[in-house]
Amino acid sequence: MLTYATSDSDAKDVIAEEESDNGPELVRLLLDALPPSQSGEPVNLTAPLNKEEYKYLGVQATQLILNSENPIDTLAEISENFPLYATEIARKVEIQGDLQYEMAINARRVPRSVTMGWLNGKAMDNINDLNAFSILNMLRAERPHMQALTSLGLNSAQALQVLTGEAVAESFNQGSMFDGIFDASDRQEGGEVIMWLNDIEKDERYSRWPKNIDQILMPIYPGSFHSIRINLWNIVLGVDLSNRESLIWIFKHVSNIIERKFPFRWGIAPLTATPEAEKAARIFYYVQKHYGPKETMDFIRSLIAAQQEGDTIDFLVANAFFNNLGINVKPLLELELDSSVSHDYDVVVEGQEPHAIEKLENAKKWAERLDVKIPKNELGHVFLNGRHYPLDSNFLISLQRDAGSQTSYIQNELQTGKLSSGPEVDWSTYFYDLPSTPKRRNRYLFPDPETSPLQVKRLDVLFRNAGYEYPYRDLLNPVETDPPTPLLVTLWIVGDLDAPETMDMAIGAIKALEKRKDFRLGFIHAPKILPMSDATSAPRHSALLQQLSGHFGGLSPSQLLEALETSTPGRVNPLEYLDFCMSGQILAREIGLRPGQMGVIVNGRIIGPLPAGAFSEVDFPPLIVYERDRRVTPIITALKEAQFATESLDRSSYADLISTAASVIAAVQVPDPTAEGLFNIPMRPRQRQYRHLDSKHSKIAHGKEDTALFHFAFVVDPLSEAAQKLGGLLKWLSTLETVYLEVYMIADQTREELPLKRFYRSLVRPHLIFNEAGDEVPPMVGFKNLPEEPIYTLAMDVPASWLARPRESEYDLDNIHLASLSGSERITGVKALFDLDFLVIEGHARDTSTGSPPRGLQLQLISHDMTPIADTLVVENLGYLQFKAKPG
């Protein structure tokens, strides 16, 4: 039972701890041991504290805590009983200058009145609601991750170093500058695919702007952009020009931005997936080439103004405005059109104009290289300096954000001298030409935090749950080189390997393995339908791979390719083949694949389900490079920083170490889906940022840092309500051999009133207590020796899911006046019995297909024997739901 009391007439809450008869109070012993004042006069403990004495109470309390042989217990006792000790601490404890200075410096680095906590580098959410149950849940979740890393040969300290290394944290930072950037230029297609609507460097409207890139270093108002006559921000729209809604978006936004002279260069690359799209592309290519960007935009305006509805532009209307160009616009602009080509509408639309077929073929190659297809009800694609976005109403918000990020990057590179401001830099293709920029895009290859977030499974858990031995040994290795190339990536093809589309992907991976020597390849057969248990023959590909199980070590990629091409349906052991198929199906289900679907596992990252043709031979090398640079290289760096010796490992063992560590670390970084709530939460890499605080004089450390499996760290003001709640939890954690504690104490040195006006006790037993008869001693909590004059409030501080109420008490628990008690009542004290009435289960529901709350969904809470306990409805507001159930 937990109770709390307050010495404040405002009735602030506090908690109570089990009474202990272990001798005098720690704080009383420390205060009595302090030397007398230098003046030799007795300390006045009756006069109230003044404002100057309030300022340094936190520093003085910290000094007293650190002078104790048991600082954690002292921290708990001071915070829980602070009103009793406040005057003595203020007037007896002499402040050490080094401690005061260090705490003042740290207070500037930490937000005022904020308590923070970390477990193995992971920041704790809602630390004010922290309790023993939530800590137990965190320990249960954290233990498998640490044990997985220590099973690879790392000790606890090395495992934590790898988890929280700076290189690893940076690699998982979703704000990486170069994530999702591709070469969106049309240079590989020979040019002229992109129709530019403006040119910052050539157009007259920008003639007054400075041409020097150093102007980007000049300060400007937040949210604005530097006006420099350089094609620095290049935006390419991949759209179906026959789609009326896409044209409306272009005219509404692009035209306005160009007219207002924002420094963005806009271009259009037509997508030609339908005959109507091809016709529209030919028309716009013609208009842009012969009449220029301004008339192209006017042509768009005319089309959408003349047609008020419909999904596709009306080509009869387009014909009329096309003819108007030749009749009215041409004489007005005094244009001389090329007489060697026909300017007839039908000739242009049918693609009979010279180079028209070639242009459309190049546009198709550009769209295929950058994997831009337009699903139904979508407007198209956008590339900002190569970074991909869907074309929608949110793009302009992303444009302002990411253009600012790119500006900051360029400013930093110029200021540090890493980037030249001379004319040799082509700014229009600068981001396209970076070494990290892929030339080809595959929507499934690169994770996107907004549309396709990173999905990772721990390899050891995944394979063992499916019935495989781990480390998995049926892997195809590349032909060895001299010296041997480390195998940094392990990749599996998962799916029905007897299906043509899955086997095509597998063959593409094998061919890629023939050329690259830094990865290894495995195959997981997950048939759409399980074979009969007495089947003695099987389709040729799956039968061959099952028979090769255990013999991949001496096989080369070319030999496997030949075997797959020449194999015939073979005889199999029925039970072994059935087990082979069942394990594959279980694994496929674990990674979210339905029967008949296929996917890829790369160092624990799940890619899929994939449609037919999504991955070909040319897609595997960039996938390997991305995984190596983004996830493997930081782990190798972290292993070196942790001084973990890898030289003694053979090639296969080193590959097992890297692939398993990559999957464990990535799985730890990805947010728990059950904790996301209604909205996706961003990935927060693990970091021990608290170690940047000064800690020579103001830190408590407890436990064995080198061997502890769990490293807890807290930043807390010892004279705060958070410290009162943490006190009992810290005492409990300090009894666990697997825990290492760091407590960084900060203090507000500007306060002008008593920081704590309540008494608090917490009851967290490290173990059960039994009497001589062998019965468990029930936990009891209480307050003794409280000042009698104040009016107290007695109440409970319990987990948020507990609904606890007072059941028995002879007194008004909101107005307890100890001085009013009779003699007999003073002996027995004020007693109260509380009941735990209900456990409240709260949550949020969402429809995974739409992401919206399933308003009105009926849910029922049942017992293990299917007996209904409670029911509820999901409400529209954030999909909130609530159950109330009796304990037990």
Side-chain angles (χ1 to χ4, degrees), residues 636-662:
I636 295 174
T637 302
L639 288 170
K640 290 180 180 178
E641 292 175 350
Q643 300 180 350
F644 180 70
T646 59
E647 295 78 8
S648 60
L649 299 177
D650 59 36
R651 196 179 187 212
S652 179
S653 299
Y654 183 76
D656 292 337
L657 167 69
I658 295 299
S659 60
T660 307

PDB file of all heavy atoms in Angstrom, residues 636-662:
ATOM      1  N   ILE A 636      31.279  -1.599 -37.838  1.00  0.00           N
ATOM      2  CA  ILE A 636      32.709  -1.924 -37.831  1.00  0.00           C
ATOM      3  C   ILE A 636      33.484  -0.857 -37.066  1.00  0.00           C
ATOM      4  O   ILE A 636      34.385  -1.158 -36.267  1.00  0.00           O
ATOM      5  CB  ILE A 636      33.228  -2.059 -39.273  1.00  0.00           C
ATOM      6  CG1 ILE A 636      32.567  -3.262 -39.960  1.00  0.00           C
ATOM      7  CG2 ILE A 636      34.744  -2.200 -39.300  1.00  0.00           C
ATOM      8  CD1 ILE A 636      32.906  -3.401 -41.426  1.00  0.00           C
ATOM      9  N   THR A 637      33.117   0.414 -37.282  1.00  0.00           N
ATOM     10  CA  THR A 637      33.762   1.508 -36.547  1.00  0.00           C
ATOM     11  C   THR A 637      33.514   1.379 -35.054  1.00  0.00           C
ATOM     12  O   THR A 637      34.435   1.545 -34.242  1.00  0.00           O
ATOM     13  CB  THR A 637      33.228   2.862 -37.053  1.00  0.00           C
ATOM     14  OG1 THR A 637      33.472   2.982 -38.451  1.00  0.00           O
ATOM     15  CG2 THR A 637      33.883   4.016 -36.316  1.00  0.00           C
ATOM     16  N   ALA A 638      32.280   1.060 -34.676  1.00  0.00           N
ATOM     17  CA  ALA A 638      31.943   0.912 -33.252  1.00  0.00           C
ATOM     18  C   ALA A 638      32.687  -0.268 -32.630  1.00  0.00           C
ATOM     19  O   ALA A 638      33.126  -0.191 -31.474  1.00  0.00           O
ATOM     20  CB  ALA A 638      30.435   0.746 -33.093  1.00  0.00           C
ATOM     21  N   LEU A 639      32.843  -1.364 -33.369  1.00  0.00           N
ATOM     22  CA  LEU A 639      33.591  -2.518 -32.855  1.00  0.00           C
ATOM     23  C   LEU A 639      35.052  -2.159 -32.602  1.00  0.00           C
ATOM     24  O   LEU A 639      35.652  -2.594 -31.612  1.00  0.00           O
ATOM     25  CB  LEU A 639      33.485  -3.692 -33.836  1.00  0.00           C
ATOM     26  CG  LEU A 639      32.127  -4.400 -33.911  1.00  0.00           C
ATOM     27  CD1 LEU A 639      32.100  -5.368 -35.082  1.00  0.00           C
ATOM     28  CD2 LEU A 639      31.836  -5.146 -32.612  1.00  0.00           C
ATOM     29  N   LYS A 640      35.613  -1.366 -33.499  1.00  0.00           N
ATOM     30  CA  LYS A 640      36.998  -0.928 -33.303  1.00  0.00           C
ATOM     31  C   LYS A 640      37.112  -0.006 -32.094  1.00  0.00           C
ATOM     32  O   LYS A 640      38.050  -0.122 -31.303  1.00  0.00           O
ATOM     33  CB  LYS A 640      37.500  -0.221 -34.565  1.00  0.00           C
ATOM     34  CG  LYS A 640      37.712  -1.151 -35.757  1.00  0.00           C
ATOM     35  CD  LYS A 640      38.202  -0.380 -36.976  1.00  0.00           C
ATOM     36  CE  LYS A 640      38.408  -1.317 -38.175  1.00  0.00           C
ATOM     37  NZ  LYS A 640      38.835  -0.567 -39.390  1.00  0.00           N
ATOM     38  N   GLU A 641      36.154   0.908 -31.946  1.00  0.00           N
ATOM     39  CA  GLU A 641      36.178   1.810 -30.792  1.00  0.00           C
ATOM     40  C   GLU A 641      36.004   1.044 -29.488  1.00  0.00           C
ATOM     41  O   GLU A 641      36.538   1.445 -28.453  1.00  0.00           O
ATOM     42  CB  GLU A 641      35.074   2.862 -30.933  1.00  0.00           C
ATOM     43  CG  GLU A 641      35.320   3.850 -32.070  1.00  0.00           C
ATOM     44  CD  GLU A 641      34.159   4.804 -32.273  1.00  0.00           C
ATOM     45  OE1 GLU A 641      33.091   4.566 -31.652  1.00  0.00           O
ATOM     46  OE2 GLU A 641      34.312   5.765 -33.039  1.00  0.00           O
ATOM     47  N   ALA A 642      35.263  -0.063 -29.534  1.00  0.00           N
ATOM     48  CA  ALA A 642      35.069  -0.896 -28.344  1.00  0.00           C
ATOM     49  C   ALA A 642      36.236  -1.853 -28.112  1.00  0.00           C
ATOM     50  O   ALA A 642      36.210  -2.633 -27.159  1.00  0.00           O
ATOM     51  CB  ALA A 642      33.772  -1.690 -28.466  1.00  0.00           C
ATOM     52  N   GLN A 643      37.235  -1.798 -29.009  1.00  0.00           N
ATOM     53  CA  GLN A 643      38.437  -2.642 -28.910  1.00  0.00           C
ATOM     54  C   GLN A 643      38.091  -4.128 -28.911  1.00  0.00           C
ATOM     55  O   GLN A 643      38.661  -4.932 -28.167  1.00  0.00           O
ATOM     56  CB  GLN A 643      39.247  -2.280 -27.656  1.00  0.00           C
ATOM     57  CG  GLN A 643      39.717  -0.832 -27.649  1.00  0.00           C
ATOM     58  CD  GLN A 643      40.525  -0.478 -26.410  1.00  0.00           C
ATOM     59  OE1 GLN A 643      40.598  -1.250 -25.450  1.00  0.00           O
ATOM     60  NE2 GLN A 643      41.121   0.691 -26.420  1.00  0.00           N
ATOM     61  N   PHE A 644      37.152  -4.483 -29.772  1.00  0.00           N
ATOM     62  CA  PHE A 644      36.789  -5.890 -29.941  1.00  0.00           C
ATOM     63  C   PHE A 644      37.662  -6.483 -31.044  1.00  0.00           C
ATOM     64  O   PHE A 644      37.675  -5.997 -32.177  1.00  0.00           O
ATOM     65  CB  PHE A 644      35.314  -6.025 -30.302  1.00  0.00           C
ATOM     66  CG  PHE A 644      34.866  -7.447 -30.495  1.00  0.00           C
ATOM     67  CD1 PHE A 644      34.780  -8.317 -29.419  1.00  0.00           C
ATOM     68  CD2 PHE A 644      34.550  -7.926 -31.761  1.00  0.00           C
ATOM     69  CE1 PHE A 644      34.366  -9.631 -29.588  1.00  0.00           C
ATOM     70  CE2 PHE A 644      34.137  -9.232 -31.941  1.00  0.00           C
ATOM     71  CZ  PHE A 644      34.048 -10.088 -30.850  1.00  0.00           C
ATOM     72  N   ALA A 645      38.367  -7.533 -30.717  1.00  0.00           N
ATOM     73  CA  ALA A 645      39.317  -8.135 -31.656  1.00  0.00           C
ATOM     74  C   ALA A 645      38.585  -9.027 -32.647  1.00  0.00           C
ATOM     75  O   ALA A 645      37.933 -10.001 -32.259  1.00  0.00           O
ATOM     76  CB  ALA A 645      40.371  -8.938 -30.897  1.00  0.00           C
ATOM     77  N   THR A 646      38.674  -8.697 -33.936  1.00  0.00           N
ATOM     78  CA  THR A 646      38.045  -9.501 -34.983  1.00  0.00           C
ATOM     79  C   THR A 646      39.078 -10.218 -35.845  1.00  0.00           C
ATOM     80  O   THR A 646      38.705 -10.987 -36.730  1.00  0.00           O
ATOM     81  CB  THR A 646      37.180  -8.596 -35.886  1.00  0.00           C
ATOM     82  OG1 THR A 646      38.025  -7.574 -36.470  1.00  0.00           O
ATOM     83  CG2 THR A 646      36.070  -7.936 -35.105  1.00  0.00           C
ATOM     84  N   GLU A 647      40.358  -9.973 -35.563  1.00  0.00           N
ATOM     85  CA  GLU A 647      41.403 -10.551 -36.416  1.00  0.00           C
ATOM     86  C   GLU A 647      41.433 -12.071 -36.360  1.00  0.00           C
ATOM     87  O   GLU A 647      41.798 -12.732 -37.338  1.00  0.00           O
ATOM     88  CB  GLU A 647      42.787 -10.008 -36.011  1.00  0.00           C
ATOM     89  CG  GLU A 647      42.980  -8.518 -36.235  1.00  0.00           C
ATOM     90  CD  GLU A 647      42.321  -7.674 -35.154  1.00  0.00           C
ATOM     91  OE1 GLU A 647      41.848  -8.259 -34.146  1.00  0.00           O
ATOM     92  OE2 GLU A 647      42.260  -6.438 -35.327  1.00  0.00           O
ATOM     93  N   SER A 648      41.027 -12.650 -35.231  1.00  0.00           N
ATOM     94  CA  SER A 648      41.098 -14.103 -35.075  1.00  0.00           C
ATOM     95  C   SER A 648      39.922 -14.826 -35.731  1.00  0.00           C
ATOM     96  O   SER A 648      39.933 -16.061 -35.826  1.00  0.00           O
ATOM     97  CB  SER A 648      41.146 -14.460 -33.589  1.00  0.00           C
ATOM     98  OG  SER A 648      39.984 -13.986 -32.919  1.00  0.00           O
ATOM     99  N   LEU A 649      38.906 -14.083 -36.186  1.00  0.00           N
ATOM    100  CA  LEU A 649      37.730 -14.711 -36.772  1.00  0.00           C
ATOM    101  C   LEU A 649      37.980 -15.100 -38.221  1.00  0.00           C
ATOM    102  O   LEU A 649      38.625 -14.356 -38.978  1.00  0.00           O
ATOM    103  CB  LEU A 649      36.531 -13.755 -36.711  1.00  0.00           C
ATOM    104  CG  LEU A 649      36.078 -13.300 -35.318  1.00  0.00           C
ATOM    105  CD1 LEU A 649      34.934 -12.304 -35.436  1.00  0.00           C
ATOM    106  CD2 LEU A 649      35.648 -14.487 -34.470  1.00  0.00           C
ATOM    107  N   ASP A 650      37.484 -16.282 -38.610  1.00  0.00           N
ATOM    108  CA  ASP A 650      37.582 -16.641 -40.021  1.00  0.00           C
ATOM    109  C   ASP A 650      36.528 -15.877 -40.813  1.00  0.00           C
ATOM    110  O   ASP A 650      35.702 -15.152 -40.268  1.00  0.00           O
ATOM    111  CB  ASP A 650      37.435 -18.151 -40.209  1.00  0.00           C
ATOM    112  CG  ASP A 650      36.103 -18.696 -39.680  1.00  0.00           C
ATOM    113  OD1 ASP A 650      35.081 -17.988 -39.804  1.00  0.00           O
ATOM    114  OD2 ASP A 650      36.087 -19.820 -39.149  1.00  0.00           O
ATOM    115  N   ARG A 651      36.553 -16.066 -42.142  1.00  0.00           N
ATOM    116  CA  ARG A 651      35.690 -15.270 -43.021  1.00  0.00           C
ATOM    117  C   ARG A 651      34.212 -15.485 -42.709  1.00  0.00           C
ATOM    118  O   ARG A 651      33.425 -14.529 -42.641  1.00  0.00           O
ATOM    119  CB  ARG A 651      35.992 -15.656 -44.465  1.00  0.00           C
ATOM    120  CG  ARG A 651      35.483 -14.675 -45.504  1.00  0.00           C
ATOM    121  CD  ARG A 651      35.856 -15.165 -46.878  1.00  0.00           C
ATOM    122  NE  ARG A 651      35.538 -14.190 -47.914  1.00  0.00           N
ATOM    123  CZ  ARG A 651      35.186 -14.506 -49.139  1.00  0.00           C
ATOM    124  NH1 ARG A 651      35.106 -15.776 -49.508  1.00  0.00           N
ATOM    125  NH2 ARG A 651      34.924 -13.564 -50.032  1.00  0.00           N
ATOM    126  N   SER A 652      33.812 -16.719 -42.456  1.00  0.00           N
ATOM    127  CA  SER A 652      32.415 -17.025 -42.189  1.00  0.00           C
ATOM    128  C   SER A 652      31.983 -16.495 -40.826  1.00  0.00           C
ATOM    129  O   SER A 652      30.896 -15.919 -40.692  1.00  0.00           O
ATOM    130  CB  SER A 652      32.192 -18.537 -42.263  1.00  0.00           C
ATOM    131  OG  SER A 652      30.847 -18.863 -41.993  1.00  0.00           O
ATOM    132  N   SER A 653      32.829 -16.662 -39.812  1.00  0.00           N
ATOM    133  CA  SER A 653      32.488 -16.181 -38.471  1.00  0.00           C
ATOM    134  C   SER A 653      32.393 -14.661 -38.446  1.00  0.00           C
ATOM    135  O   SER A 653      31.529 -14.086 -37.765  1.00  0.00           O
ATOM    136  CB  SER A 653      33.527 -16.664 -37.457  1.00  0.00           C
ATOM    137  OG  SER A 653      33.559 -18.075 -37.401  1.00  0.00           O
ATOM    138  N   TYR A 654      33.269 -13.991 -39.190  1.00  0.00           N
ATOM    139  CA  TYR A 654      33.217 -12.526 -39.257  1.00  0.00           C
ATOM    140  C   TYR A 654      31.914 -12.070 -39.922  1.00  0.00           C
ATOM    141  O   TYR A 654      31.279 -11.116 -39.473  1.00  0.00           O
ATOM    142  CB  TYR A 654      34.421 -12.001 -40.036  1.00  0.00           C
ATOM    143  CG  TYR A 654      34.498 -10.493 -40.103  1.00  0.00           C
ATOM    144  CD1 TYR A 654      34.918  -9.745 -39.006  1.00  0.00           C
ATOM    145  CD2 TYR A 654      34.145  -9.812 -41.269  1.00  0.00           C
ATOM    146  CE1 TYR A 654      34.983  -8.361 -39.065  1.00  0.00           C
ATOM    147  CE2 TYR A 654      34.205  -8.428 -41.336  1.00  0.00           C
ATOM    148  CZ  TYR A 654      34.633  -7.707 -40.239  1.00  0.00           C
ATOM    149  OH  TYR A 654      34.696  -6.342 -40.302  1.00  0.00           O
ATOM    150  N   ALA A 655      31.517 -12.778 -40.969  1.00  0.00           N
ATOM    151  CA  ALA A 655      30.254 -12.440 -41.640  1.00  0.00           C
ATOM    152  C   ALA A 655      29.070 -12.659 -40.707  1.00  0.00           C
ATOM    153  O   ALA A 655      28.114 -11.869 -40.701  1.00  0.00           O
ATOM    154  CB  ALA A 655      30.104 -13.267 -42.909  1.00  0.00           C
ATOM    155  N   ASP A 656      29.099 -13.760 -39.913  1.00  0.00           N
ATOM    156  CA  ASP A 656      28.037 -14.004 -38.937  1.00  0.00           C
ATOM    157  C   ASP A 656      27.971 -12.874 -37.910  1.00  0.00           C
ATOM    158  O   ASP A 656      26.885 -12.406 -37.541  1.00  0.00           O
ATOM    159  CB  ASP A 656      28.264 -15.331 -38.213  1.00  0.00           C
ATOM    160  CG  ASP A 656      28.089 -16.533 -39.132  1.00  0.00           C
ATOM    161  OD1 ASP A 656      27.390 -16.407 -40.152  1.00  0.00           O
ATOM    162  OD2 ASP A 656      28.650 -17.598 -38.823  1.00  0.00           O
ATOM    163  N   LEU A 657      29.149 -12.448 -37.428  1.00  0.00           N
ATOM    164  CA  LEU A 657      29.206 -11.364 -36.445  1.00  0.00           C
ATOM    165  C   LEU A 657      28.579 -10.090 -36.996  1.00  0.00           C
ATOM    166  O   LEU A 657      27.719  -9.467 -36.351  1.00  0.00           O
ATOM    167  CB  LEU A 657      30.666 -11.108 -36.056  1.00  0.00           C
ATOM    168  CG  LEU A 657      30.935  -9.810 -35.279  1.00  0.00           C
ATOM    169  CD1 LEU A 657      30.333  -9.882 -33.885  1.00  0.00           C
ATOM    170  CD2 LEU A 657      32.438  -9.518 -35.204  1.00  0.00           C
ATOM    171  N   ILE A 658      28.974  -9.704 -38.208  1.00  0.00           N
ATOM    172  CA  ILE A 658      28.508  -8.440 -38.782  1.00  0.00           C
ATOM    173  C   ILE A 658      27.013  -8.493 -39.070  1.00  0.00           C
ATOM    174  O   ILE A 658      26.258  -7.568 -38.724  1.00  0.00           O
ATOM    175  CB  ILE A 658      29.296  -8.103 -40.059  1.00  0.00           C
ATOM    176  CG1 ILE A 658      30.770  -7.858 -39.731  1.00  0.00           C
ATOM    177  CG2 ILE A 658      28.693  -6.895 -40.757  1.00  0.00           C
ATOM    178  CD1 ILE A 658      31.014  -6.710 -38.793  1.00  0.00           C
ATOM    179  N   SER A 659      26.544  -9.570 -39.697  1.00  0.00           N
ATOM    180  CA  SER A 659      25.128  -9.633 -40.065  1.00  0.00           C
ATOM    181  C   SER A 659      24.234  -9.689 -38.826  1.00  0.00           C
ATOM    182  O   SER A 659      23.184  -9.023 -38.770  1.00  0.00           O
ATOM    183  CB  SER A 659      24.863 -10.836 -40.970  1.00  0.00           C
ATOM    184  OG  SER A 659      25.195 -12.056 -40.320  1.00  0.00           O
ATOM    185  N   THR A 660      24.630 -10.483 -37.825  1.00  0.00           N
ATOM    186  CA  THR A 660      23.820 -10.585 -36.609  1.00  0.00           C
ATOM    187  C   THR A 660      23.827  -9.272 -35.837  1.00  0.00           C
ATOM    188  O   THR A 660      22.771  -8.795 -35.388  1.00  0.00           O
ATOM    189  CB  THR A 660      24.333 -11.720 -35.711  1.00  0.00           C
ATOM    190  OG1 THR A 660      24.413 -12.939 -36.467  1.00  0.00           O
ATOM    191  CG2 THR A 660      23.414 -11.929 -34.524  1.00  0.00           C
ATOM    192  N   ALA A 661      25.017  -8.676 -35.677  1.00  0.00           N
ATOM    193  CA  ALA A 661      25.101  -7.397 -34.960  1.00  0.00           C
ATOM    194  C   ALA A 661      24.300  -6.322 -35.676  1.00  0.00           C
ATOM    195  O   ALA A 661      23.614  -5.524 -35.034  1.00  0.00           O
ATOM    196  CB  ALA A 661      26.565  -6.975 -34.823  1.00  0.00           C
ATOM    197  N   ALA A 662      24.355  -6.311 -37.014  1.00  0.00           N
ATOM    198  CA  ALA A 662      23.600  -5.309 -37.776  1.00  0.00           C
ATOM    199  C   ALA A 662      22.103  -5.469 -37.546  1.00  0.00           C
ATOM    200  O   ALA A 662      21.373  -4.476 -37.399  1.00  0.00           O
ATOM    201  CB  ALA A 662      23.924  -5.418 -39.259  1.00  0.00           C
TER     202      ALA A 662
END
